Amino acid sequence: MTPGRVLVSALFMALLLSVGAVLMLLGRPYAAAPPGMVPVAVGDLTLTPGDLIEEPDQLPDYAAMRDFFARQDTLYSALTGGAEVGFAPAPEMAAEIRVPARPRRLGDLPAPFFFQLGVGALALLIGAWIFALRPRDWGVRMFALTGLCVPVFAMAAAVYSSRFIALPGDLFRGLSGVNHLGAGVFGIGLVGLFLMYPRHLVRPVWLWVPVAVFGIGIALDLTHAVPVKLLDFIVMTQTLLALVLAVVQWVLSRRMPLDRAGLRYLVLATLIGVSCFIGLSVMPVALGLSEQGLLPQGYAFGFFLIMHLGIAMGLARYRVFELDRYAYLVWLWLGSAMLIIGLDALLLMLLHDQPWTSLGLALLVASFVYFPLRQFLFSRFVSTRSVSLAGRMPDILRVAMMPMSDGRDGAWDALLRRIWEPLSIGRPGMAEAAGVDDPSAPHAERATIAEQGLALDLPDCAGVGGRQLRYAAAGRRLFGEDDKALAATLCELVTMIRQSAAAFQRGVTTERDRISRDMHDNIGAQMLSALHSSDAGRKNELLRDALNDLRGIIDAGFTGQFNLQDLMADLRGEAMERLSDHGIRLDWQPLPLPDLPVSLAHGNTLRAVIREAVSNVIRHARCRTMRIAPELHGRELHLVLSDDGSAGASPRLGNGLENMRVRILALRGSISIVEAGPDHGFHIEILVPLDSAEPAPASGAEPAAPLSPGIGAPPPVTP
């Protein structure tokens, strides 16, 4: 049968049972109670509190139950015979108001009735859904059996617990029997579930053993063949046996974290559902604390739905990696509640007339015995399961800054093993069964949990490729959200360290390149002038200037300021002196420049560019005149440098023009170098913004400007 047919069949069955339950109550005698009043009489028959109980299982034995059903039959006959119903503020008071009975309508049915129908229908649909996903799994089949039983016992109880005073005795006994049958078979399914999930403790044929054993007990209960009530004993035995089998499954799955996590869902859901139902509905009556449960039985059936949903999530292994820590907390909480209740019940038996003394002793024992024990268990099984980066910073720094040639790959894996203790480390998406480690496998962009918590995928944050960690804590647990957050923190930390180290290295390279350019452009130009100077005094002056510039290159860095007018005046005088020593005339077009401060980076760049241009003219241009025209447009300096030499005969010039280009681009400017042809020399146009923004990296984020042919660059492109 296809999954769709399974779900449709389950829906049809739930609808059929619900309609049947509604029809059993419609049309029966009913009288609406006046506000604040309860029924106290039917005709001449006075009602007792026992006539109005929701659940006949509260009665002590089968004889009392048979008397109850006979009494119900008598009351129902009176109601159908036209007897009026008496209402009073309390059952022990005489009737004050008489109301004639009428046929019951749909609007007269109480909310708990529909709640129980909903619980049964949802449990049936959940069981069918899981069965449709894995119909051949015996654990799922047993769960489907429990899902089939919930609507049986819940809807039967919904009918007789929502009756108006009485039902026909035979019908009431039949509904009670259906309720007992559903509860008993539910317990058989629960035992079978823990026999077959997550591991098969027995062969499937042995599932007939609990069916036969408990089936005999259920048959004896339905026929009242023994003097004592068997259902409570049967249900208790089934619950304890299921928990024992769960412990066995827990031990056997100690190296199977995914199975253990699913089992944890099952046990947790069973404990919560059974404990809450018994504690709020059954235990208060059994201990004589009240005549009714703390929660009406109709609403208490909702705990079976919680139980059923939790078991379904365990079988489907839904986000089991998130349950790890909270399951232990819930178990410890339930343990404390059961310990106090159990001790109090035991002491009540020993101290009959001293209830407060027994409660005080129970709390005292719990305080000095249980709570220290709980703290020990918490620290042993919960706190130690978490991982952290405490004490790992030296290892993290060492791995993040280690060169690949020194084995960073292996060091990263070793660090991950120390933190999470995985059974294996591979590439994300690697085929573990085949042992394939595919370096080309795609890497996750962030830490993610894979395979329902069996694996944790890490991104490539250490520069050695992504990693997949499998089976945390040597296979004793699943990866959870805490591990995911810790992995994200680790990757962020390693990435920051590596980026900081890379930024430091880039800074070192940038500063080295700056010093190299300054040495080439400034110091080189001055040394060249000193070399060609025949005047000893002038030679010494040039050497002193070169030494001062050298100190400035080393000490000044990129801080400080120049005055644009003074800077250009100094550069004009220096260029004129250098060119005149070689018989070249300087045509510096005098344009008024404002008294404008510029940064040291701008000043050094302008000095280096003009010096390099003058040096190139001296060495290669074979010209008569060099023209320099500075012009200011707002906050942008436009500088034109040209000569009338024979550029076509110029050899390749090495790093000079490339340094010039890099310097200009570092200030977010533009440069155009054009060879104008024979007798027209070179023509260089530079545009530099004179703002205070930080210079761009010297490596140049912008595309390189073209250089002219003949100097080792691509063809010229003018702006």
Side-chain angles (χ1 to χ4, degrees):
M1 185 178 292
T2 63
R5 290 184 178 180
V6 171
L7 292 175
V8 170
S9 300
L11 183 61
F12 177 76
M13 185 180 299
L15 183 62
L16 186 64
L17 291 174
S18 299
V19 171
V22 171
L23 293 178
M24 286 185 186
L25 290 178
L26 293 182
R28 299 194 181 276
Y30 178 79
M37 293 189 175
V38 296
V40 294
V42 176
D44 297 333
L45 299 175
T46 301
L47 298 178
T48 65
D51 294 327
L52 303 177
I53 60 174
E54 284 186 307
E55 179 57 67
D57 292 341
Q58 300 172 4
L59 299 173
D61 50 39
Y62 291 134
M65 292 178 68
R66 288 191 292 270
D67 292 341
F68 173 79
F69 295 140
R71 171 72 171 176
Q72 283 284 298
D73 198 61
T74 301
L75 292 173
Y76 186 78
S77 298
L79 285 171
T80 55
E84 293 183 337
V85 181
F87 291 93
E92 65 272 10
M93 299 180 66
E96 296 182 355
I97 298 177
R98 291 278 175 165
V99 178
R102 58 170 175 81
R104 198 170 197 178
R105 298 187 290 265
L106 184 63
D108 299 326
L109 299 179
F113 171 78
F114 294 104
F115 181 79
Q116 291 176 85
L117 296 186
V119 167
L122 287 175
L124 181 59
L125 291 175
I126 292 171
W129 167 56
I130 299 297
F131 177 76
L133 295 178
R134 291 154 57 188
R136 298 184 179 277
D137 188 321
W138 275 100
V140 172
R141 290 177 178 180
M142 293 297 100
F143 175 70
L145 177 61
T146 63
L148 184 62
C149 293
V150 173
V152 173
F153 68 73
M155 293 182 180
V159 174
Y160 63 68
S161 64
S162 301
R163 72 191 186 279
F164 177 71
I165 300 178
L167 286 173
D170 292 340
L171 175 61
F172 205 146
R173 179 168 178 171
L175 290 172
S176 179
V178 171
N179 176 265
H180 287 197
L181 177 64
V185 178
F186 178 91
I188 293 175
L190 192 63
V191 171
L193 172 62
F194 285 105
L195 275 173
M196 307 304 293
Y197 181 86
R199 303 185 64 180
H200 287 192
L201 300 182
V202 297
R203 296 175 59 187
V205 69
W206 288 98
L207 291 174
W208 288 106
V209 173
V211 172
V213 173
F214 291 115
I216 293 174
I218 295 171
L220 293 175
D221 174 77
L222 294 178
T223 58
H224 296 186
V226 292
V228 295
K229 290 172 56 179
L230 288 179
L231 181 65
D232 293 342
F233 175 76
I234 292 172
V235 172
M236 184 181 300
T237 303
Q238 291 171 335
T239 303
L240 292 177
L241 180 58
L243 292 177
V244 170
L245 293 173
V247 172
V248 174
Q249 291 277 13
W250 182 267
V251 174
L252 295 178
S253 62
R254 60 186 178 276
R255 293 295 180 182
M256 303 168 64
L258 189 57
D259 288 343
R260 176 167 282 195
L263 183 62
R264 188 178 296 120
Y265 249 129
L266 268 65
V267 176
L268 184 63
T270 302
L271 281 176
I272 291 177
V274 173
S275 299
C276 291
F277 180 81
I278 293 177
L280 296 177
S281 182
V282 178
M283 189 67 71
V285 179
L287 295 178
L289 301 178
S290 66
E291 295 182 357
Q292 301 289 338
L294 299 179
L295 189 69
Q297 178 176 281
Y299 291 121
F301 273 118
F303 294 117
F304 284 99
L305 181 59
I306 296 175
M307 172 181 171
H308 211 66
L309 183 60
I311 294 176
M313 294 171 69
L315 290 171
R317 295 175 176 177
Y318 173 74
R319 301 184 70 87
V320 289
F321 52 85
E322 293 183 345
L323 188 68
D324 197 36
R325 182 181 183 90
Y326 299 106
Y328 288 102
L329 295 177
V330 173
W331 289 352
L332 292 174
W333 172 76
L334 289 174
S336 64
M338 289 187 290
L339 177 65
I340 293 176
I341 293 174
L343 282 175
D344 188 38
L346 177 63
L347 292 172
L348 276 174
M349 295 173 60
L350 300 176
L351 305 171
H352 302 286
D353 299 326
Q354 303 178 58
W356 290 109
T357 303
S358 67
L359 179 60
L361 289 174
L363 293 175
L364 190 65
V365 172
S367 300
F368 286 94
V369 176
Y370 170 72
F371 290 116
L373 178 62
R374 186 184 70 171
Q375 184 61 34
F376 168 76
L377 294 174
F378 183 84
S379 60
R380 174 66 177 83
F381 294 104
V382 180
S383 299
T384 57
R385 300 169 70 86
S386 60
V387 293
S388 70
L389 299 181
R392 303 291 184 189
M393 280 305 302
D395 294 334
I396 296 172
L397 284 169
R398 182 175 61 85
V399 172
M401 303 189 69
M402 179 182 294
M404 281 294 296
S405 59
D406 292 346
R408 190 200 310 161
D409 192 295
W412 177 243
D413 289 347
L415 175 62
L416 298 179
R417 285 192 179 92
R418 286 193 294 271
I419 295 175
W420 278 285
E421 302 179 38
L423 286 181
S424 65
I425 299 179
R427 301 283 181 180
M430 90 179 215
E432 184 184 5
V436 177
D437 189 355
D438 183 8
S440 64
H443 304 313
E445 296 182 358
R446 60 180 63 86
T448 56
I449 296 174
E451 300 180 34
Q452 297 177 316
L454 283 179
L456 178 68
D457 289 343
L458 300 181
D460 181 15
C461 52
V464 295
R467 288 293 188 267
Q468 184 180 79
L469 314 183
R470 295 178 61 82
Y471 298 101
R476 295 189 299 272
R477 69 178 183 89
L478 296 177
F479 290 101
E481 290 296 330
D482 291 343
D483 298 294
K484 181 179 174 182
L486 183 72
T489 301
L490 174 64
C491 288
E492 183 179 359
L493 187 60
V494 171
T495 301
M496 289 176 59
I497 294 173
R498 295 184 64 232
Q499 289 177 346
S500 298
F504 174 78
Q505 187 60 41
R506 286 196 301 271
V508 170
T509 302
T510 300
E511 186 66 10
R512 184 178 63 237
D513 292 345
R514 180 189 69 83
I515 294 175
S516 176
R517 288 193 301 271
D518 285 347
M519 293 287 291
H520 177 276
D521 298 342
N522 293 336
I523 306 300
Q526 290 172 318
M527 296 297 291
L528 181 64
S529 298
L531 180 65
H532 290 281
S533 177
S534 58
D535 186 350
R538 177 58 182 161
K539 185 186 297 285
N540 291 336
E541 182 180 354
L542 289 172
L543 291 176
R544 282 194 298 271
D545 290 342
L547 183 60
N548 290 331
D549 283 352
L550 180 61
R551 292 195 184 101
I553 292 171
I554 296 173
D555 297 333
F558 282 94
T559 59
Q561 283 186 337
F562 284 101
N563 182 281
L564 180 61
Q565 192 177 50
D566 295 340
L567 174 65
M568 299 307 289
D570 292 342
L571 291 175
R572 178 183 180 186
E574 177 185 321
M576 181 180 295
E577 185 174 358
R578 291 181 62 196
L579 292 170
S580 65
D581 289 341
H582 295 80
I584 301 174
R585 185 176 67 88
L586 174 64
D587 181 7
W588 187 294
Q589 300 180 13
L591 295 174
L593 295 175
D595 189 9
L596 180 69
V598 294
S599 69
L600 186 60
H602 287 79
N604 285 338
T605 296
L606 292 174
R607 178 185 286 116
V609 166
I610 292 177
R611 282 178 176 175
E612 177 62 23
V614 171
S615 297
N616 285 340
V617 166
I618 293 173
R619 285 179 289 183
H620 306 295
R622 292 179 295 188
C623 65
R624 296 182 299 275
T625 303
M626 180 180 183
R627 290 178 294 277
I628 300 178
E631 190 173 343
L632 193 66
H633 301 286
R635 293 284 300 177
E636 291 185 334
L637 178 65
H638 185 219
L639 185 63
V640 178
L641 305 100
S642 61
D643 64 77
D644 57 359
S646 178
S650 300
R652 296 183 179 273
L653 302 180
N655 295 327
L657 293 178
E658 175 63 20
N659 287 347
M660 188 183 299
R661 181 191 69 84
V662 171
R663 288 178 180 276
I664 295 300
L665 294 182
L667 296 180
R668 297 177 175 84
S670 62
I671 179 172
S672 174
I673 304 174
V674 180
E675 182 182 352
D679 300 327
H680 294 285
F682 275 86
H683 183 85
I684 302 175
E685 291 190 18
I686 297 172
L687 188 65
V688 179
L690 299 178
D691 51 33
S692 58
E694 291 293 327
S699 58
E702 303 178 36
L707 303 179
S708 62
I711 57 173
V717 177
T718 57

